Amino acid sequence: MKVALFDLDDTLYAYNPCHEEGLFQLTSYLVSTWGISKEEVLTKYDSSRKLVHAQLKETAASHHRLLYMTKLCESFGKNPITYSKHLEEVYWKGYFSKMELDENVIPIFEGLIKRNVEIAIVTDLVAEIQYRKLLHLGLENYISVIVTSEEAGADKPNPAIFNLALNKLKMNSPEDAIFIGDSYSKDIVGANSIGIKAFWVSNDSDPVKSNSLTIQVRDLKTLRGIIFEHV
């Protein structure tokens, strides 16, 4: 194995506490400045998010919080040019305030680099925010390559994003790579579809999802105990 491809969100850090804090800060701001209820904000935010996803489907832009905020402003009859960017920053400020790197990431990364394995990030969402996350987590010096779905033109599990990562790493064979991610439908199916062995970080015990290219691990601590056997 020459390269290790990692998902970012909910693999290297816990997504839910970050998202919940982002929504809390957004809701608190709108309740105090627009005089609307928390329930109204959450309902309109969810419908705005779903509308963006329906319009843009499996693309990086479908996850863009600025677009969510634009639809949110429109749903309340507010000028999105005036408010959307600020609301996006309110959300992300709350989000980043709760972002903490899993304690096993650095030992895994350092162990891989010590064994001359290059590390890449393969992630959905727009490049700008994913770069901000990696800088916030202090991972920039460990990573050789990052590929976002914005750059690849499609979300995982589309093979394009995985193939682009291999091309950037100058890997001719998927057998020289492994993938580590939390989403079976996106990370594992996508990696397996082009012949990359994948480590599925999940408590899910569905035996239907077992195959010769997938190794399930409960968490990154478990992964840390076995990953170097595959280098």
Side-chain angles (χ1 to χ4, degrees):
M1 187 255 288
K2 298 178 181 178
V3 299
L5 314 177
F6 285 83
D7 171 52
L8 174 55
D9 301 304
D10 235 13
T11 296
L12 303 186
Y13 74 96
Y15 170 84
N16 282 339
C18 302
H19 174 61
E20 288 170 4
E21 183 64 21
L23 271 185
F24 173 77
Q25 294 299 332
L26 174 68
T27 302
S28 299
Y29 177 82
L30 290 178
V31 168
S32 64
T33 57
W34 288 1
I36 53 182
S37 70
K38 173 184 176 181
E39 291 72 22
E40 284 182 288
V41 176
L42 293 176
T43 298
K44 292 290 183 68
Y45 176 88
D46 188 56
S47 61
S48 297
R49 179 186 61 82
K50 289 177 179 177
L51 180 58
V52 171
H53 276 260
Q55 289 177 336
L56 298 175
K57 301 193 185 298
E58 297 175 359
T59 64
S62 71
H63 310 283
H64 205 318
R65 298 318 192 263
L66 181 60
L67 297 182
Y68 297 0
M69 302 310 168
T70 295
K71 299 297 184 186
L72 182 65
C73 288
E74 291 171 349
S75 70
F76 282 112
K78 302 289 186 178
N79 186 339
I81 300 173
T82 303
Y83 296 105
S84 294
K85 186 61 181 174
H86 180 65
L87 295 181
E88 181 196 25
E89 285 305 315
V90 168
Y91 171 87
W92 285 121
K93 184 177 180 180
Y95 188 103
F96 280 109
S97 73
K98 294 294 184 180
M99 184 182 284
E100 295 183 5
L101 187 67
D102 186 288
E103 63 182 1
N104 295 284
V105 173
I106 298 301
I108 291 171
F109 279 14
E110 289 182 344
L112 290 171
I113 291 170
K114 183 179 179 180
R115 293 164 173 80
N116 297 314
V117 176
E118 288 193 272
I119 297 168
I121 298 295
V122 180
T123 176
D124 290 342
L125 226 154
V126 294
E128 186 268 338
I129 195 65
Q130 299 306 77
Y131 276 65
R132 282 177 61 184
K133 290 176 184 176
L134 292 173
L135 290 168
H136 179 86
L137 294 170
L139 296 177
E140 64 272 17
N141 293 326
Y142 295 96
I143 296 165
S144 299
V145 161
I146 177 172
V147 176
T148 65
S149 57
E150 180 179 29
E151 181 182 8
D155 277 352
K156 295 177 286 186
N158 192 300
I161 192 169
F162 300 93
N163 283 320
L164 180 56
L166 293 182
N167 289 339
K168 282 192 172 190
L169 291 161
K170 298 180 172 57
M171 290 291 109
N172 295 319
S173 173
E175 295 178 357
D176 291 330
I178 60 170
F179 191 94
I180 298 92
D182 69 292
S183 170
Y184 185 85
S185 61
K186 285 180 167 284
D187 298 325
I188 309 310
V189 169
N192 287 175
S193 72
I194 64 167
I196 297 176
K197 179 181 287 188
F199 288 86
W200 180 30
V201 185
S202 172
N203 290 317
D204 193 328
S205 59
D206 186 348
V208 175
K209 296 175 180 176
S210 300
N211 63 72
S212 61
L213 284 176
T214 300
I215 299 171
Q216 183 177 356
V217 293
R218 178 178 296 273
D219 48 32
L220 290 186
K221 182 179 181 180
T222 308
L223 176 70
R224 181 179 170 185
I226 67 171
I227 189 171
F228 303 121
E229 300 171 9
H230 298 266
V231 176

